[in-house]
Amino acid sequence: MSNLYLQKELSDSKNCPPASEKPIHQLIHCRETTLGNDLIIRRALPHRERRMIGAWCFLDHFGPLTLNNHKSMDVPPHPHIGLQTVTWLISGHILHRDSLGHKQIISPGELNLMTAGKGIAHSEESVPDNSKLLHGVQLWIALPDKNRHDEPSFSHYASLPIHKQDGLVITLLAGSMFNKEAPTQIFSPLIGLDIQVSEDTHASVIPLEKHFEYGILVLNGSLNIEDVEVNIGSLLYLGCGRDILSLSAKKNTHCILIGGTPFEEEVLMWWNFVARSKSELTQATEDWRNHKLFGDVQGYIGNRLDIPLPPWK
Ligand code: MN
């Protein structure tokens, strides 16, 4: 995904309430926009009231959209630095191409992880299929300073660990839980879970790490957490300090739980770049505009995304 479709604001991880050391309830309402006129995108992170949760610095929920004959997602080649992108689908298929030469279709149950490091470019296009629905999430993980200049890479994980309890089907997208570990290569302590409610559930207990902060985003249905109702379009930020989360929901509810140790480094985000200073963001923009550093995405039909220089000097 790309920031083309929403306002290009500088996001500073220190310019929002600090990570809460104690359990709290902070309900964050996603900003909505559309892609290609009809694919709804709900952006939960970054938000003025919450820029990051652990190293998770971006969270878009897209769809569900019933596909017509045209592409419902068509994000032309664009660059990234300093982050990892995680793509996870509930339904439909997306074709990823990148400047390292990878061409990979992702389907539900699989995970695409692109580690941008010092720089990569990619495109993302929906692929027509029989399900006729496109529905999923894309998340970004900020790389810590020691890894953010590493060589770029791309991984496709065809299957992930699944844990079942009390009518919940929980897929580990990243990190460790329930004595299972996701294969997803990460660079700071964090967790990502897909939680599908297959039967009505009451007070199902999920173990948490006290030193992690957490947030939960509803993709379908609604959840009740500690007497707070969370619906589609809302992210409930929970802070740190819990060792369990008790969750109640009706059948067919679907949500994403993310968490991690509060990210100490100040992170600046602008357009598709994650960095530490405005000059780095300007340099990355100039490199993209001058066809330096990022390489070309082979096979994509159409023009790449372009961007004006940042508004600061
Ligand atoms: Mn992207």
Side-chain angles (χ1 to χ4, degrees):
M1 301 289 282
S2 159
N3 256 328
L4 174 69
Y5 305 100
L6 287 166
Q7 198 177 351
K8 298 169 202 72
E9 284 179 355
L10 181 72
S11 168
D12 180 339
S13 64
K14 297 298 182 197
N15 182 21
C16 78
S20 176
E21 292 175 12
K22 295 179 178 172
I24 60 165
H25 297 139
Q26 181 194 18
L27 205 53
I28 291 169
H29 299 289
C30 300
R31 290 171 292 154
E32 272 192 21
T33 189
T34 54
L35 178 58
N37 297 324
D38 48 11
L39 180 65
I40 294 174
I41 296 177
R42 299 172 197 84
R43 180 153 302 165
L45 295 177
H47 190 280
R48 284 175 199 275
E49 296 301 317
R50 188 58 53 194
R51 303 291 190 185
M52 296 176 73
I53 298 176
W56 301 100
C57 61
F58 177 100
L59 172 49
D60 266 2
H61 170 209
F62 52 88
L65 175 71
T66 304
L67 301 180
N68 302 316
N69 290 326
H70 65 285
K71 281 186 205 171
S72 57
M73 177 182 286
D74 185 3
V75 185
H78 61 279
H80 289 287
I81 61 167
L83 57 79
Q84 296 178 287
T85 65
V86 172
T87 306
W88 172 251
L89 295 177
I90 310 305
S91 53
H93 304 280
I94 291 176
L95 170 63
H96 159 98
R97 299 177 197 265
D98 65 42
S99 50
L100 299 176
H102 296 101
K103 180 182 176 189
Q104 177 71 54
I105 290 177
I106 180 173
S107 303
E110 305 170 354
L111 186 141
N112 274 0
L113 178 74
M114 185 177 78
T115 302
K118 68 183 186 182
I120 195 169
H122 73 150
S123 62
E124 296 159 288
E125 304 160 77
S126 57
V127 178
D129 76 337
N130 293 329
S131 77
K132 304 267 187 222
L133 274 177
L134 182 64
H135 191 196
V137 289
Q138 186 171 102
L139 305 104
W140 297 356
I141 302 169
L143 288 168
D145 198 49
K146 64 180 169 50
N147 299 107
R148 68 192 185 95
H149 303 294
D150 288 354
E151 292 296 321
S153 63
F154 174 81
S155 299
H156 173 79
Y157 300 103
S159 70
L160 296 165
I162 292 176
H163 170 82
K164 294 184 180 179
Q165 65 175 46
D166 311 334
L168 301 182
V169 180
I170 301 173
T171 306
L172 263 80
L173 306 181
S176 303
M177 201 182 265
F178 313 112
N179 296 318
K180 295 180 165 77
E181 185 176 3
T184 316
Q185 189 186 22
I186 53 175
F187 297 89
S188 61
L190 57 82
I191 187 85
L193 301 181
D194 174 275
I195 304 174
Q196 211 172 341
V197 182
S198 56
E199 293 167 31
D200 290 2
T201 183
H202 181 70
S204 189
V205 171
I206 295 174
L208 301 185
E209 302 280 351
K210 269 194 166 173
H211 61 288
F212 276 19
E213 56 178 342
Y214 290 92
I216 193 160
L217 177 73
V218 173
L219 308 180
N220 191 37
S222 71
L223 285 177
N224 187 294
I225 291 174
E226 298 157 358
D227 293 327
V228 178
E229 188 170 302
V230 193
N231 296 302
I232 294 180
S234 292
L235 168 77
L236 182 65
Y237 173 72
L238 295 159
C240 301
R242 281 182 182 76
D243 50 17
I244 59 158
L245 186 69
S246 174
L247 184 153
S248 301
K250 294 280 186 203
K251 183 180 175 177
N252 295 330
T253 294
H254 204 142
C255 58
I256 297 280
L257 177 76
I258 57 174
T261 51
F263 203 77
E264 299 298 339
E265 299 168 28
E266 183 170 16
V267 169
L268 296 188
M269 286 176 56
W270 184 76
W271 197 38
N272 297 305
F273 303 132
V274 171
R276 299 295 181 273
S277 68
K278 286 182 177 177
S279 63
E280 287 178 346
L281 296 168
T282 303
Q283 185 63 51
T285 306
E286 285 177 353
D287 286 344
W288 177 247
R289 286 163 60 93
N290 294 327
H291 293 256
K292 288 183 183 168
L293 180 67
F294 296 99
D296 293 324
V297 177
Q298 301 293 333
Y300 177 84
I301 312 274
N303 296 325
R304 64 185 210 152
L305 289 185
D306 223 332
I307 183 79
L309 287 171
W312 59 81
K313 288 292 172 195

